[in-house]
Amino acid sequence: MNDLKILLIDDSKFQRIANERALVKAGYSVIHAGDGDEGLRLARENIPHLILLDMMLPTTSGLDVLRALKSDVLLKHIPVIVLSGLGRTNESKLLKEGAAAFLVKSEKSLENNSAVLIQAVDETLKGARNRV
């Protein structure tokens, strides 16, 4: 078991539970938030190693959360993987805004989604460690 902490920000309880199970099974510690404001608060309180960020959130949008994270001196170093159910239409914009990676989420194939998610998390964290 590693000691890497992941903050999962997603308003879909179904997606949060599925992703949290996959991440815990892969050995990660998970903190979760159901909206953008809570996500920003938890990021500041816990300084996670990686953030998984849904784009469609109540209170503060995923894009605004990403911008807030990347403009915060304490949080800007944390890699953010964007999760979107809207396909890849905004992928290049989000990467320019500071996202480390972009994943399309789907409720159709959770097992496949979990494998893709864990691979993206592992690769992003490995890349972040190599840059330090």
Side-chain angles (χ1 to χ4, degrees), residues 5 43-44 46-51 66 68-80 98 100 124-125 127-129 131-132:
K5 191 178 346 177
R44 289 181 184 112
N46 295 281
I47 313 293
H49 295 90
L50 183 135
I51 297 172
L66 178 62
L69 291 167
K70 294 306 169 183
S71 66
D72 187 307
V73 172
L74 292 175
L75 305 175
K76 67 182 180 182
H77 71 282
I78 301 170
V80 177
T124 301
L125 286 169
R129 281 193 297 266
R131 285 189 296 275
V132 174

Side-chain angles (χ1 to χ4, degrees), residues 29-40:
S29 172
V30 179
I31 306 158
H32 54 81
D35 64 54
D37 291 343
E38 181 184 20
L40 287 170

Side-chain angles (χ1 to χ4, degrees), residues 4-125:
L4 297 177
K5 191 178 346 177
I6 296 175
L7 172 58
L8 173 59
I9 307 171
D10 196 325
D11 63 320
S12 166
K13 186 175 181 181
F14 180 76
Q15 286 284 340
R16 271 197 324 268
I17 290 170
N19 288 337
E20 183 173 7
R21 282 184 183 153
L23 291 162
V24 168
K25 187 176 178 183
Y28 294 105
S29 172
V30 179
I31 306 158
H32 54 81
D35 64 54
D37 291 343
E38 181 184 20
L40 287 170
R41 181 181 57 78
L42 289 174
R44 289 181 184 112
E45 289 174 4
N46 295 281
I47 313 293
H49 295 90
L50 183 135
I51 297 172
L52 292 167
L53 175 62
D54 182 26
M55 285 289 96
M56 302 294 286
L57 295 170
T59 67
T60 303
S61 74
L63 179 58
D64 287 340
V65 171
L66 178 62
R67 287 176 174 158
L69 291 167
K70 294 306 169 183
S71 66
D72 187 307
V73 172
L74 292 175
L75 305 175
K76 67 182 180 182
H77 71 282
I78 301 170
V80 177
I81 297 176
V82 169
L83 306 172
S84 177
L86 300 176
R88 298 197 169 275
T89 54
N90 292 323
E91 180 176 10
S92 62
K93 177 183 179 180
L94 294 166
L95 294 173
K96 285 178 188 168
E97 292 280 354
F102 183 95
L103 293 177
V104 176
K105 66 180 188 176
S106 167
E107 296 184 2
K108 292 178 185 156
S109 174
L110 283 180
E111 192 172 311
N112 186 44
N113 283 351
S114 295
V116 170
L117 176 70
I118 298 306
Q119 181 179 1
V121 167
D122 290 345
E123 289 174 3
T124 301
L125 286 169

